[in-house]
Amino acid sequence: MFVLKAKNLGKEWNGRTLFEKVTFDVAEGERIALFGRNGTGKSTLLNGLLGQITFDEGSVQRLLPLEEWGWMNQAVEESSHETALTFVQSGTPELYRIKRELARLERELGEPGAGAGQTMEEKLGRYGMLQEQYMLADGFGWELKVEKSLQRLQLTPELWNLPYARLSGGQKTRAQLARVMVREPQFIVLDEPTNHLDEATLDWLEKWIADYAGTVLYVSHDRAFIDRTATAVIELTSSGCRRYVGGYTAYREQKRVERRTQEALHKKQEQERQKLLESIRRYEQWFRQAHKAAGQNDYFRSRAKKNVSRFKAKESALERLESSRVKQPRDERQLSVRMESEPVSASTLLRMEKLSFAYTASGRTLLDHFSLTVERGDRLAVIGPNGAGKTTLLKLMIGELKPQSGMVRLNPQTVIGYFAQELNALDPEETLLDSLLKLPDMTQSAARTILGCFLFSGDDAFKKIGDLSMGEKCRAAFLRLYFGRANLLVLDEPTNYLDIDTREIMEEALLEYPGTLVIVTHDRYLIRKLADRLVVLAGSEAITFPGTYEEYASRDRRRAPTGDDIRRENERSRLQLRLAVLMSREDPEDEEEKARLLEEIRQIKAQLDE
């Protein structure tokens, strides 16, 4: 049974075709990921399916009434008086209306003279009727469900009475999800449900969608999320859409098979085309020679006519081939530039020793006697729940924040390139091209080539940075890192706002980068590709994990780290730091002192082995 049928949908925006000839069905129980590059109109398509905008062409058949739909938008109109709690409750309009009217009547009954126009008896009668309706609809159970949904999504009671407009991006996303989940509609439409969510909330959301009894259609750039939840992927392009069975990994494999098949068909058709062209050329030559030689001789003239018919047959075959011709697959856009870094001979680029940090306004301790060594060639990912202090740790590394105690030591050879998720280092008045031409020895042709590699083509080069979308600003900020020749990149959410194609281009650049990386990201695909070591933040506890994200995740699923685990990892970090200090010292001239140094190194290595 289908819940939705879309046929030949098309939409223009400011004179530009976003998409056309979009046809697909959504069957009951499916989890469909709508996938495509930024600017292809994914959010516009969802809004059209919901009836919030009209399509220029095509039709939408909703086989389930809109009352049974639930949806979450990227942009929500924010009422100044609406709290987080009332925002979630208002997603169930009828119960919310009754609850508000009951609250109004309670106030009026408690204040004689309030609510003019009704007698006390009329108010009591109205109150009794509404209360009966509320109980029959399980209104009190609904209130409990709202509170449970908020807590499951890590929106604790102290946040419930805050204005919705004052919530952080991640808190707003969780509130919107709670608002949808409370209603438990039969069909859910979600636009970027994974934005700003930490790993724990993502894990919970993935399980909830997997167990959900209804149907889900969503847009997301989180490849791990698509892999774990989608039963099908619909790829949206300007010229239509295509369905692929399975999640993101299955989609990529099917695209690879498609490309190989298309390449083989194109090659076969090209060979056939060349044969036909050669036959046509030969028959045309024979016809001319035969026609010339025939003169008035009937025999030679009939033979010339046979060559003409064969010539026409080959031309018709060529026309048929051209009409069904398979296009040569376009080469996927690849990054043809290489990030460079300043050469560094030192083994240790950055050292944090017994670092403690707390925000004085809240008094909350984020780091307590934390030690970390960043070695040349490290690929270090910082993970942990939202609010654990990941961005704070990066700002301590680059010197933007100062610790209350402890030291941050930078090797004199270290050149840091910092990517801030706020993107506030960009000059909004500069064009993309001008920002590159300011660099030494940069020519216009080289700048245009580089912009093209980062998916800025044609007239995009003349756009002001202030007029760019958030995804385009991310790419512009990444260009700064490319030219900075840093040997230590410190990246805070570098792939936020990027579509999957662009994320993979950034990943390619980072994988080729010869320097050292420290990265904070919610993109689990990116962590899996890049990281060979982790810093795990949780409360004021911080551990270093000497392995990949896969190794950490599999261990973490078997058994949550205990206090002993954390103390052990902290002791390992302390010993590694001490060993790095000892190994960097010059050999003492005194033999006795040298023997003591070697003995301490031996003891530390033995402790680390244990």
Side-chain angles (χ1 to χ4, degrees):
M1 177 180 172
F2 292 104
V3 299
L4 174 71
K5 287 176 177 283
K7 187 173 182 182
N8 288 328
L9 301 180
K11 185 67 180 176
E12 285 189 2
W13 199 265
N14 292 331
R16 180 176 71 91
T17 299
L18 282 179
F19 51 78
E20 60 184 355
K21 300 176 184 176
V22 172
T23 298
F24 65 92
D25 302 325
V26 179
E28 197 174 81
E30 285 191 304
R31 284 98 171 93
I32 295 180
L34 183 61
F35 173 85
R37 292 187 61 177
N38 285 344
T40 52
K42 299 183 294 297
S43 296
T44 302
L45 178 60
L46 293 189
N47 288 332
L49 297 176
L50 291 162
Q52 296 173 355
I53 62 170
T54 57
F55 293 109
D56 298 328
E57 55 188 35
S59 62
V60 177
Q61 188 179 2
R62 301 181 186 92
L63 302 171
L64 196 66
L66 276 174
E67 293 75 33
E68 297 295 335
W69 291 37
W71 56 86
M72 171 191 149
N73 294 330
Q74 283 191 64
V76 175
E77 290 184 13
E78 299 174 0
S79 171
S80 58
H81 62 272
E82 195 168 40
T83 66
L85 180 62
T86 57
F87 171 78
V88 175
Q89 290 174 338
S90 64
T92 314
E94 184 58 23
L95 281 171
Y96 181 59
R97 182 190 64 77
I98 297 173
K99 178 179 170 59
R100 289 186 68 184
E101 193 167 351
L102 284 171
R104 178 184 63 79
L105 287 169
E106 284 173 5
R107 287 194 304 273
E108 292 179 2
L109 289 167
E111 300 174 13
Q118 282 185 311
T119 66
M120 186 66 72
E121 289 76 16
E122 287 172 333
K123 289 177 185 175
L124 282 169
R126 176 71 176 160
Y127 185 83
M129 183 190 71
L130 287 172
Q131 193 169 47
E132 186 177 354
Q133 284 182 18
Y134 198 61
M135 292 179 71
L136 285 171
D138 192 24
F140 296 109
W142 165 74
E143 288 183 31
L144 185 61
K145 188 189 288 186
V146 168
E147 293 177 1
K148 282 183 176 178
S149 295
L150 285 164
Q151 289 182 322
R152 281 191 195 119
L153 286 160
Q154 299 178 13
L155 289 169
T156 50
E158 59 266 24
L159 297 171
W160 295 356
N161 291 319
L162 279 179
Y164 175 80
R166 282 179 51 197
L167 298 179
S168 70
Q171 289 166 344
K172 285 178 180 174
T173 298
R174 292 198 290 271
Q176 290 176 53
L177 286 169
R179 178 183 165 108
V180 171
M181 291 170 179
V182 164
R183 280 186 54 217
E184 295 185 351
Q186 292 184 48
F187 182 33
I188 292 178
V189 178
L190 305 172
D191 195 359
E192 296 287 3
T194 59
N195 273 1
H196 310 292
L197 298 186
D198 56 33
E199 186 184 4
T201 313
L202 280 169
D203 283 343
W204 183 89
L205 179 61
E206 287 165 357
K207 187 175 185 307
W208 186 87
I209 287 180
D211 296 340
Y212 178 60
T215 307
V216 184
L217 172 66
Y218 67 82
V219 170
S220 176
H221 294 311
D222 187 322
R223 291 160 290 178
F225 181 79
I226 295 172
D227 260 345
R228 292 177 183 176
T229 58
T231 57
V233 171
I234 292 178
E235 182 182 29
L236 179 67
T237 66
S238 60
S239 57
C241 69
R242 185 156 185 180
R243 175 190 284 259
Y244 298 85
V245 176
Y248 178 74
T249 302
Y251 155 80
R252 293 296 293 179
E253 182 54 36
Q254 289 171 77
K255 291 287 284 186
R256 276 193 287 271
V257 171
E258 261 183 25
R259 183 181 176 84
R260 286 198 296 269
T261 304
Q262 190 176 349
E263 284 173 343
L265 283 173
H266 175 75
K267 185 177 180 181
K268 184 178 179 182
Q269 283 191 343
E270 277 299 299
Q271 290 171 344
E272 182 65 25
R273 183 171 175 271
Q274 291 304 318
K275 286 180 183 177
L276 284 170
L277 287 171
E278 177 59 27
S279 295
I280 289 168
R281 186 193 62 77
R282 191 167 58 248
Y283 279 124
E284 188 176 24
Q285 187 179 8
W286 287 350
F287 168 70
R288 284 175 183 163
Q289 289 174 346
H291 184 75
K292 187 177 180 180
Q296 298 302 313
N297 187 304
D298 291 340
Y299 172 73
F300 287 119
R301 288 177 70 180
S302 67
R303 285 194 64 181
K305 284 179 182 178
K306 282 184 181 179
N307 283 334
V308 170
S309 62
R310 289 170 181 168
F311 168 64
K312 294 295 184 185
K314 293 295 182 182
E315 278 192 329
S316 298
L318 181 62
E319 286 175 8
R320 288 194 299 273
L321 182 68
E322 293 287 3
S323 65
S324 61
R325 192 174 178 187
V326 175
K327 292 182 180 179
Q328 185 173 7
R330 290 177 61 185
D331 289 333
E332 294 181 4
R333 196 120 51 142
Q334 293 184 344
L335 193 67
S336 58
V337 291
R338 178 180 171 82
M339 295 184 72
E340 297 180 356
S341 68
E342 284 293 330
V344 57
S345 58
S347 59
T348 301
L349 299 187
L350 181 145
R351 189 178 292 151
M352 307 179 94
E353 300 175 9
K354 297 183 179 178
L355 210 69
S356 294
F357 183 86
Y359 283 107
T360 52
S362 62
R364 180 167 164 250
T365 299
L366 292 177
L367 295 167
D368 186 20
H369 287 80
F370 174 68
S371 295
L372 174 70
T373 303
V374 179
E375 303 286 351
R376 185 180 66 232
D378 268 351
R379 298 285 196 267
L380 181 68
V382 182
I383 64 173
N386 288 342
K390 300 186 293 294
T391 296
T392 299
L393 178 60
L394 299 194
K395 289 182 176 179
L396 287 164
M397 284 183 176
I398 67 170
E400 193 170 308
L401 291 175
K402 301 297 179 187
Q404 273 83 34
S405 63
M407 298 285 290
V408 179
R409 300 181 185 276
L410 275 182
N411 189 291
Q413 297 180 355
T414 303
V415 180
I416 293 179
Y418 178 53
F419 182 102
Q421 58 179 306
E422 298 89 356
L423 303 175
N424 49 18
L426 298 171
D427 182 350
E429 294 304 313
E430 272 190 339
T431 68
L432 283 165
L433 184 59
D434 288 340
S435 68
L436 291 187
L437 290 175
K438 288 168 61 177
L439 296 164
D441 304 321
M442 178 62 64
T443 65
Q444 187 161 103
S445 61
R448 295 294 290 270
T449 300
I450 291 159
L451 287 169
C453 290
F454 282 87
L455 308 183
F456 292 114
S457 55
D459 291 340
D460 288 346
F462 304 104
K463 283 183 178 178
K464 282 190 176 182
I465 290 174
D467 296 333
L468 301 178
S469 69
M470 289 303 292
E472 289 170 329
K473 285 178 181 175
C474 278
R475 280 185 270 142
F478 199 80
L479 280 170
R480 283 177 170 272
L481 295 184
Y482 169 72
F483 287 110
R485 296 185 61 86
N487 48 38
L488 171 59
L489 292 185
V490 179
L491 311 175
D492 193 2
E493 296 291 358
T495 59
N496 267 4
Y497 311 106
L498 299 181
D499 58 38
I500 292 176
D501 281 354
T502 315
R503 287 183 186 208
E504 292 183 342
I505 285 175
M506 297 304 185
E507 284 170 12
E508 184 186 337
L510 292 174
L511 283 167
E512 293 293 322
Y513 173 62
T516 303
L517 291 172
V518 178
I519 186 168
V520 167
T521 180
H522 287 121
D523 189 334
R524 292 160 290 175
Y525 245 75
L526 180 60
I527 296 176
R528 284 186 170 94
K529 276 191 172 184
L530 287 181
D532 56 19
R533 199 154 68 95
L534 306 176
V535 172
V536 186
L537 302 182
S540 60
E541 302 271 66
I543 64 170
T544 55
F545 182 79
T548 66
Y549 183 81
E550 289 287 358
E551 291 167 338
Y552 173 78
S554 61
R555 186 193 79 157
D556 195 46
R557 286 192 172 89
R558 288 195 304 271
R559 177 176 61 84
T562 64
D564 285 342
D565 289 333
I566 292 171
R567 281 188 288 275
R568 220 171 6 249
E569 293 295 348
N570 285 339
E571 177 62 10
R572 181 196 296 273
S573 296
R574 187 190 69 79
L575 290 169
Q576 287 174 331
L577 177 63
R578 179 60 181 161
L579 183 61
V581 171
L582 293 174
M583 296 289 283
S584 63
R585 284 176 57 178
E586 293 183 5
D587 287 347
E589 293 183 4
D590 182 71
E591 288 300 322
E592 192 173 327
E593 178 63 24
K594 185 176 182 179
R596 278 198 298 270
L597 176 64
L598 291 172
E599 176 59 21
E600 187 175 356
I601 289 172
R602 188 192 64 76
Q603 288 177 0
I604 290 174
K605 285 183 174 179
Q607 288 176 278
L608 284 169
D609 287 341
E610 290 174 11

